[in-house]
């Protein structure tokens, strides 16, 4: 049950990242000045992807609190790496992001690390 909760929390966190990225792709680049930030607020409030991402984050935080009440943080935290793996592949297939041999190699190392950590 704990592993399932960890996985759900991690996947919701990754989904949040992807939804927020999709929302920001629609909004565009943000300049760091007061006028740009103020004019950004209505765009954020009308963007369903931003709302979905924030909602996914909220649910993932609630689930993560349950996880942390049940297992050691040194056990749970490394599983957040699964979120990177999910985000990298979905980003590649649905957002057109790059997936180089270096990223794929790094994902392999992450997978190996998760396997080792899950045994202890």
């Amino acid at each position: 049950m704990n592993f399932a909760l960890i996985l759900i929390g991690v996947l919701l966190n990754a989904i949040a990242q992807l939804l927020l990225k999709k929302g920001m792709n629609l909004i565009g680049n943000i300049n760091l000045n007061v006028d740009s930030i103020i004019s950004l607020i209505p765009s954020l409030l009308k963007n369903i992807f931003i709302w979905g991402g924030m909602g996914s984050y909220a649910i993932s935080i609630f689930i993560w609190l349950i996880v942390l009440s049940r297992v050691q943080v040194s056990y749970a935290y490394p599983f957040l790496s699964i979120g990177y793996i999910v985000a990298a592949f979905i980003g590649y297939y649905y957002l057109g992001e790059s997936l180089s041999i270096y990223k794929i190699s790094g994902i392999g190392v992450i997978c190996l690390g998760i396997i080792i950590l899950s045994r202890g």
Side-chain angles (χ1 to χ4, degrees), residues 62-108:
F62 179 73
I63 290 172
W64 201 250
L65 291 173
I66 295 169
V67 166
L68 293 176
S69 76
R70 296 178 176 195
V71 302
Q72 295 180 5
V73 71
S74 62
Y75 174 78
Y77 193 71
F79 286 98
L80 290 174
S81 301
I82 294 170
Y84 173 75
I85 297 166
V86 170
F89 283 107
I90 292 177
Y92 174 76
Y93 285 109
Y94 293 104
L95 299 175
E97 296 185 353
S98 67
L99 191 59
S100 69
I101 189 68
Y102 298 108
K103 285 183 185 178
I104 293 169
S105 299
I107 288 169

Side-chain angles (χ1 to χ4, degrees), residues 6 8 16-17 25 31 39 47 75-76 81 90-91 99 110-111 113:
I6 290 170
I8 291 167
Q17 285 289 333
N25 282 348
N31 295 318
S39 66
N47 191 309
Y75 174 78
S81 301
I90 292 177
L99 191 59
I110 290 169
C111 290

Side-chain angles (χ1 to χ4, degrees), residues 11-83:
L11 292 176
L12 281 170
N13 190 298
I15 289 167
Q17 285 289 333
L18 295 162
L19 288 170
L20 291 171
K21 177 59 178 168
K22 176 69 174 174
M24 292 312 297
N25 282 348
L26 295 172
I27 291 172
N29 292 335
I30 299 172
N31 295 318
L32 290 179
N33 61 55
V34 175
D35 291 335
S36 293
I37 292 172
I38 290 172
S39 66
L40 172 71
I41 293 170
S43 298
L44 291 173
L45 293 174
K46 295 186 289 186
N47 191 309
I48 191 72
F49 295 105
I50 299 296
W51 282 102
M54 297 300 270
S56 293
Y57 261 136
I59 296 167
S60 75
I61 289 170
F62 179 73
I63 290 172
W64 201 250
L65 291 173
I66 295 169
V67 166
L68 293 176
S69 76
R70 296 178 176 195
V71 302
Q72 295 180 5
V73 71
S74 62
Y75 174 78
Y77 193 71
F79 286 98
L80 290 174
S81 301
I82 294 170

